[in-house]
Amino acid sequence: MDPVDLEVEFNGLVEADQRIEPRDWMPDGYRRNLIRQIAQHAHSEIIGMQPEGNWITRAPSLRRKAILMAKVQDEAGHGLYLYCAAETLGVDRAELIDQLHAGRQKYSSVFNYPTLTWADVGAIGWLVDGAAITNQIPLCRCSYGPYARAMVRVCKEESFHQRQGFESLYALSHGTPEQHAMAQDAVDRWWWPSLMLLGPSDAESTHTSQSMAWRIKRFTNDELRQRFVDMVAPQADVLELTPPDPELRWNEARGHYDFGECDWDELRRVVGGDGPCNRQRLAHHVSAHEEGAWVREAAAAYAAKHSAVGVVAA
Ligand code: 3HC
């Protein structure tokens, strides 16, 4: 088919809200943009296991430990679905991991903050998973089929993560005065990083307009930030915790909460590699990857042996 006809067909599919599948022709820019976003998303899920994994051995009860372990394992699963989705675009996951280690691909800024107390686990579930799900529900309608389908399952699990975070934080905020103070301190530290997880302001976002045109993104970063604040502000009242934003208030005329400006310099610094835990997070990922080399080699040898047996048997 003529390249012009291929592009017309692609645009027609996107405009008709049909899914683009791996077998379909797609512009190079669409493929590159998806690989960039899906890889960053996959890396975020995997690196995101570290801050909470830090508390598995110190969870305050067997019940909390079991829930936290299940949650951290879910994040590993999400990373794996996402690497699979990226591979349908013709890239190898080993190459994506090399790019992460070389600093050529990113992961979410939010995972570069430390988890200082047990209450951080609740605050991450409520706020970080809350922001993540606000961003990910529209991705279930992303124009690229494998990514959209992966998101359906991920979102189901993220809803459970947010509920468990809220429930865990509620237990603390309605506990002793010391527990309430610990929950408030965690919310003070995680509020702004969670808002920044949703990306730079629309004025600074380089990819939004093209990603919206291709229906990869359905909403802008600022639209999703507003949606997130509208969801969590009333939940903070139920928790009896106060978000650290003096400008946060209901605006009757707009039908939305007003809220203050994020510290965009901080986001730039953290994304640029200079957050509180950037070096630690990446170093841990590199060493875990190196220590796991023998597992990958054994799995590859096993697969090769089985395919050789299959060939002989055939
Ligand atoms: N942290 C790190 N980098 C960020 C960022 C953040 N919070 N927000 C934006 N960036 C980067 C972008 O990747 C881009 O850099 P690049 O060109 O080198 O890739 C640059 O900053 C400009 O940002 P844009 O707004 O133009 O980028 P996008 O249009 O891609 O929007 C996004 C950013 C909203 C994060 C979008 O990529 C997205 O929706 N990604 C999929 C979801 C995702 O990755 N979420 C991250 C958290 S996952 C998670 O939280 C897991 C859970 O279990 C908690």
Side-chain angles (χ1 to χ4, degrees), residues 223-260:
E223 284 167 350
L224 291 177
R225 215 173 338 267
Q226 178 71 63
R227 194 177 269 215
F228 172 62
V229 171
D230 288 346
M231 174 178 77
V232 290
Q235 293 174 352
D237 293 338
V238 178
L239 287 168
E240 297 180 18
L241 295 170
T242 311
D245 179 357
E247 292 176 47
L248 180 69
R249 69 183 59 85
W250 177 250
N251 181 326
E252 194 61 50
R254 289 201 313 121
H256 291 288
Y257 280 85
D258 289 337
F259 57 101

Side-chain angles (χ1 to χ4, degrees), residues 197-212:
L197 175 159
L198 294 160
S201 71
D202 291 352
E204 299 261 322
S205 170
T206 43
H207 300 289
T208 295
S209 62
Q210 183 60 74
S211 292
M212 299 269 288

Side-chain angles (χ1 to χ4, degrees), residues 33-188:
N33 193 23
L34 273 171
I35 292 174
R36 175 196 68 82
Q37 176 168 327
I38 301 174
Q40 170 172 327
H41 195 166
H43 300 326
S44 302
E45 299 281 356
I46 299 295
I47 299 237
M49 293 163 73
Q50 292 185 40
E52 287 180 288
N54 182 34
W55 279 91
I56 289 175
T57 54
R58 291 176 288 166
S61 68
L62 188 58
R63 174 172 170 264
R64 295 284 179 207
K65 192 191 193 81
I67 294 170
L68 183 57
M69 280 175 65
K71 189 198 163 194
V72 172
Q73 283 175 358
D74 283 353
E75 307 296 0
H78 298 174
L80 298 184
Y81 305 146
L82 287 161
Y83 285 125
C84 287
E87 284 184 321
T88 65
L89 290 156
V91 66
D92 190 89
R93 81 179 64 186
E95 193 184 321
L96 300 178
I97 291 168
D98 285 347
Q99 294 207 31
L100 170 70
H101 291 174
R104 287 196 299 275
Q105 276 179 357
K106 300 185 167 87
Y107 61 90
S108 184
S109 53
V110 78
F111 301 121
N112 290 308
Y113 293 84
T115 38
L116 303 180
T117 73
W118 169 252
D120 288 27
V121 170
I124 290 178
W126 176 46
L127 293 173
V128 177
D129 291 284
I133 201 172
T134 307
N135 163 277
Q136 289 172 174
I137 285 175
L139 289 174
C140 297
R141 293 188 293 119
C142 161
S143 58
Y144 187 58
Y147 192 24
R149 287 190 288 274
M151 279 301 106
V152 173
R153 172 139 181 208
V154 168
C155 283
K156 285 183 184 157
E157 293 176 352
E158 294 292 2
S159 314
F160 151 71
H161 296 172
Q162 200 205 9
R163 292 291 301 173
Q164 71 78 34
F166 183 88
E167 192 266 337
S168 174
L169 210 54
Y170 187 95
L172 289 175
S173 67
H174 292 79
T176 64
E178 290 79 7
Q179 287 173 323
H180 185 277
M182 193 164 81
Q184 180 63 54
D185 168 63
V187 169
D188 288 347

